[in-house]
């Protein structure tokens, strides 16, 4: 990574990039722009984003460039490039660059703003009064990016956090979950821009964990709270498997529901959860394996391997039967459950607890996989 730092330094400090992030006219027009998008960006086509990003980096005006979530791509993409390039020059891992872009999207929509809440300024809305630097320094996108990364790298365990948690640890925002909506876009932008730097990914782990980490962002429209308190081992009153569920997902959910109330057993096979042998009971991953086995779908045995089954899906776009993962990290989660629709998840939680149904609001989702 050190080998590309010199070349990146030239790109970061180039007049073109600094011009692309020049100060904008203040106040109401800025506030309107930063409030112009609300929602969760999911299902982005990274190849298409790369194509559009390349147009801007090759000098296109932006009039014919479209990237969902960016309304001023000719300004926003060079700012994203500055953030990525600065991260690379500081040897910040890919996830840190994604956190930085997602933060700048939420705080300024990737614009180098001349004003904000109280004395907030620039891409990350950093405040001179809070020790981020002088107003002039903060308006320099390179300086602002460096400061963000320096604060992020001081956060203990930030690489194990979800993107929105890591961003919040730096920003201390009044809206701590707001960064999540930009994770997919930030991931696509980082990937597209990093490709423009030779050997930018040479120090990253060989295994691509993006498909896992990209899911831990927004939650489904229904969070399960409408069912109220759910007694352990019971089916919430009024719940029915959604009519549009895949038949195999329906079969897996139905089988899993027949295990409700049986006690968790670490290492248990889940082949006879109601029987006398404790090792016939379920742990979290064997419940998933056996539920799908009864739907003629073969899954591997452990949470660590199930996180690589099927294909990655956004937590905003879950369907009944999708596997969701929590605890640990996105690449190596320690718990798995099955989404049932209607904002509910069935799981074998831990020792002394029975197989149960819980609202998805209680889950910190690190990854989600569709195995059908």
């Amino acid at each position: 990574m050190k080998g590309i730092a010199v070349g990146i330094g030239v790109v970061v400090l180039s007049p073109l990039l600094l011009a692309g992030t020049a100060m904008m006219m203040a106040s109401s027009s800025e506030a309107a722009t930063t409030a112009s998008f609300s929602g969760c960006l999911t299902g982005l086509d990274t190849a298409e984003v790369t194509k559009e990003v390349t147009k801007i980096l090759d000098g296109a005006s932006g009039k014919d460039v479209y990237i969902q979530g960016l309304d001023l791509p000719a300004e926003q993409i060079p700012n994203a490039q500055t953030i990525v390039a600065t991260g690379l020059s500081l040897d910040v891992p890919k996830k840190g660059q994604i956190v930085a872009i997602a933060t700048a999207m939420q705080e300024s929509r990737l614009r180098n703003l001349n004003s904000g809440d109280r004395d907030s300024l620039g891409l990350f809305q950093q405040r001179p009064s809070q020790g981020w630097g002088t107003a002039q320094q903060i308006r320099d996108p390179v300086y602002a990016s460096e400061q963000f990364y320096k604060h992020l790298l001081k956060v203990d365990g930030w690489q194990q956090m979800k993107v929105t948690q890591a961003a919040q640890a730096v920003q201390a925002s009044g809206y701590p979950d707001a960064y999540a909506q930009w994770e997919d876009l930030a991931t696509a932008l980082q990937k597209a821009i990093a490709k423009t730097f030779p050997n930018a990914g040479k120090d990253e782990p060989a295994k691509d964990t993006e498909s896992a980490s990209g899911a831990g962002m927004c939650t489904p429209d229904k969070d399960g709270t409408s069912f109220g308190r759910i007694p352990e081992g019971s089916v919430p009153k009024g719940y029915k498997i959604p009519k549009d569920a895949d038949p195999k997902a329906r079969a897996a959910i139905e089988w899993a529901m027949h295990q409700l109330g049986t006690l968790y057993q670490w290492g248990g096979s889940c082949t006879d959860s109601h029987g006398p042998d404790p090792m016939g009971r379920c742990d979290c991953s064997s419940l998933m394996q056996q539920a799908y086995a009864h739907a003629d779908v073969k899954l591997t045995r452990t949470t660590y391997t199930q996180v690589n089954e099927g294909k990655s899906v956004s937590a905003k776009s879950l369907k009944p039967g999708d596997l969701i993962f929590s605890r640990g990290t996105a690449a190596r989660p320690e718990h798995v459950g099955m989404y049932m629709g209607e904002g509910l998840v069935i799981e074998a939680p831990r020792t002394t607890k029975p197989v149960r149904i819980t609202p998805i609001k209680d889950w910190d989702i690190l990854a989600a996989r569709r195995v059908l």
Side-chain angles (χ1 to χ4, degrees):
M1 186 64 73
K2 296 294 185 185
I4 65 172
V6 175
I8 290 172
V10 175
V11 176
V12 171
L13 297 173
S14 71
L16 175 61
L17 288 183
L18 294 180
T21 54
M23 292 184 295
M24 301 298 294
M25 289 170 41
S27 67
S28 61
S29 63
E30 293 170 345
T33 298
T34 54
S36 63
F37 182 86
S38 177
C40 206
L41 291 171
T42 60
L44 289 173
D45 183 339
T46 301
E48 186 61 28
V49 171
T50 300
K51 176 182 172 183
E52 299 298 292
V53 165
T54 302
K55 289 181 183 178
I56 292 294
L57 298 182
D58 286 344
S61 67
K63 293 180 180 179
D64 299 320
V65 172
Y66 175 74
I67 297 174
Q68 186 183 3
L70 300 184
D71 50 6
L72 295 169
E75 178 186 358
Q76 293 163 309
I77 290 172
N79 284 335
Q81 187 186 40
T82 299
I83 292 170
V84 171
T86 304
L88 291 172
S89 70
L90 295 173
D91 286 342
V92 177
K94 176 174 69 175
K95 181 173 180 179
Q97 298 166 37
I98 292 170
V99 172
I101 295 173
T103 300
M105 275 301 304
Q106 175 59 27
E107 298 293 348
S108 69
R109 296 300 185 268
L110 276 172
R111 298 173 62 200
N112 193 21
L113 299 181
N114 194 34
S115 66
D117 179 50
R118 286 168 283 191
D119 58 337
S120 300
L121 299 165
L123 288 174
F124 300 94
Q125 289 291 277
Q126 295 156 338
R127 299 177 59 190
S129 64
Q130 297 297 313
W132 287 92
T134 67
Q136 183 178 4
Q137 287 174 321
I138 292 171
R139 291 191 190 103
D140 176 349
V142 177
Y143 174 89
S145 299
E146 288 175 343
Q147 289 301 305
F148 179 86
Y149 286 129
K150 287 178 181 178
H151 282 74
L152 175 66
L153 295 175
K154 291 179 181 178
V155 175
D156 186 35
W158 71 268
Q159 292 196 63
Q160 283 70 54
M161 296 178 181
K162 292 192 292 185
V163 166
T164 193
Q165 293 170 330
Q168 174 64 5
V170 175
Q171 299 295 106
S173 167
Y175 302 93
D177 299 323
Y179 305 101
Q181 65 184 317
W182 304 111
E183 184 173 346
D184 274 12
L185 176 60
T187 300
L189 287 174
Q190 190 281 334
K191 187 172 184 178
I193 292 168
K195 286 182 178 180
T196 67
F197 297 108
N199 302 317
K202 69 176 184 180
D203 293 334
E204 294 290 338
K207 182 175 178 59
D208 180 10
T209 59
E210 178 185 331
S211 60
S213 63
M217 44 166 303
C218 306
T219 55
D221 293 333
K222 295 182 180 180
D223 62 8
T225 55
S226 62
F227 292 99
R229 181 182 174 276
I230 305 173
E232 287 191 333
S234 68
V235 179
K237 184 178 180 180
Y239 169 77
K240 293 182 180 180
I241 300 174
K243 293 180 179 180
D244 59 352
D246 183 285
K248 291 188 175 183
R250 178 179 295 275
I253 293 170
E254 288 176 346
W255 190 89
M257 288 171 66
H258 281 98
Q259 317 316 310
L260 285 169
T262 62
L263 281 178
Y264 174 98
Q265 176 62 51
W266 187 85
S269 65
C270 203
T271 53
D272 187 15
S273 65
H274 294 275
D277 183 0
M279 295 311 294
R281 299 173 189 162
C282 310
D283 65 15
C284 65
S285 55
S286 66
L287 177 63
M288 303 298 106
Q289 183 188 47
Q290 292 302 316
Y292 265 112
H294 285 77
D296 295 322
V297 177
K298 185 177 181 180
L299 297 183
T300 52
R301 173 62 180 86
T302 70
T303 304
Y304 302 142
T305 54
Q306 288 176 0
V307 76
N308 296 312
E309 301 273 8
K311 65 179 182 180
S312 175
V313 293
S314 166
K316 179 66 175 177
S317 306
L318 292 177
K319 292 183 178 181
D322 288 346
L323 305 185
I324 62 173
F325 299 83
S326 67
R327 306 176 197 165
T329 67
R332 194 172 173 81
E334 297 173 0
H335 186 54
V336 61
M338 184 184 297
Y339 186 62
M340 305 171 63
E342 303 300 320
L344 298 176
V345 183
I346 190 165
E347 62 170 344
R350 61 182 182 275
T351 302
T352 75
K353 292 291 184 179
V355 174
R356 66 186 183 184
I357 294 172
T358 54
I360 201 166
K361 73 174 183 63
D362 292 343
W363 282 68
D364 289 327
I365 303 175
L366 296 172
R369 308 292 293 189
R370 184 161 299 150
V371 298
L372 296 175

